[in-house]
């Protein structure tokens, strides 16, 4: 599968896809570790056609990177069903990236969505008590 380039204009739509997994590599052309990680990311995209692989050039998309608190590159973010499941700076080995993707695929998303709904409800209840 090919890797898509995301921008400030396309990022939100990519995250909001109703199903599927999105893995985003935040990088810059001058970054040595980013260049070293690029072939690992490319090979993983070929091995996992059910996952959307995307890159965001932090030099070009500085505002987006800032809004997402990207402080170090490379940084990986993994979204599944509109939920951020993983965010970590640093390049991963091929084995680590493969393991991460398998873990993400095995997450019980029904349970995750339930926990998010419960947390939101609890937050709303606490806001009512404070009024």
């Amino acid at each position: 599968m090919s890797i898509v380039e995301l921008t400030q204009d396309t990022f939100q739509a990519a995250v909001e896809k109703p199903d599927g997994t999105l893995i985003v590599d935040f990088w810059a052309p001058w970054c040595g570790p980013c260049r070293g990680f690029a072939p690992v990311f490319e090979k993983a995209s070929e091995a996992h056609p059910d996952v959307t692989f995307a890159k965001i050039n932090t030099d070009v998309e500085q505002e987006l990177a800032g809004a997402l608190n990207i402080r170090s590159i490379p940084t990986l973010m993994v979204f599944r069903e509109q939920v951020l499941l993983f965010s970590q700076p640093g390049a991963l080995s091929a084995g680590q990236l493969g393991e991460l993707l398998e873990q993400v695929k095995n997450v019980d998303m029904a349970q995750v969505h339930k926990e998010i709904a419960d947390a939101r409800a609890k937050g709303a209840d606490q806001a009512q008590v404070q009024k």
Side-chain angles (χ1 to χ4, degrees):
M1 174 164 216
S2 63
I3 297 172
V4 297
E5 287 287 333
L6 294 180
T7 66
Q8 186 166 343
D9 295 333
T10 60
F11 176 76
Q12 196 63 35
V15 170
E16 290 177 352
K17 281 187 171 177
D19 12 312
T21 301
L22 170 68
I23 182 167
V24 183
D25 174 21
F26 292 84
W27 70 287
W30 51 264
C31 168
C34 299
R35 288 193 310 268
F37 179 62
V40 172
F41 196 71
E42 177 76 34
K43 192 165 193 136
S45 75
E46 295 165 4
H48 298 273
D50 56 328
V51 174
T52 301
F53 284 75
K55 293 177 91 62
I56 295 177
N57 182 335
T58 57
D59 280 353
V60 175
E61 298 297 330
Q62 293 179 13
E63 190 173 322
L64 177 59
L68 295 168
N69 278 334
I70 303 301
R71 301 281 180 244
S72 179
I73 52 173
T75 290
L76 286 180
M77 285 186 168
V78 182
F79 298 87
R80 185 165 160 215
E81 296 180 19
Q82 305 177 30
V83 177
L84 177 62
L85 296 178
F86 178 86
S87 179
Q88 180 178 301
L92 300 179
S93 69
Q96 290 169 321
L97 182 55
E99 185 178 314
L100 170 63
L101 289 167
E102 288 307 314
Q103 288 175 356
V104 166
K105 289 176 184 181
N106 290 326
V107 170
D108 179 351
M109 291 307 293
Q111 181 63 31
V112 170
H113 287 293
K114 181 184 179 315
E115 290 172 7
I116 291 170
D118 290 349
R120 286 183 179 152
K122 185 176 181 180
D125 290 344
Q126 288 177 347
Q128 289 296 329
V129 169
Q130 291 176 353
K131 283 185 178 179

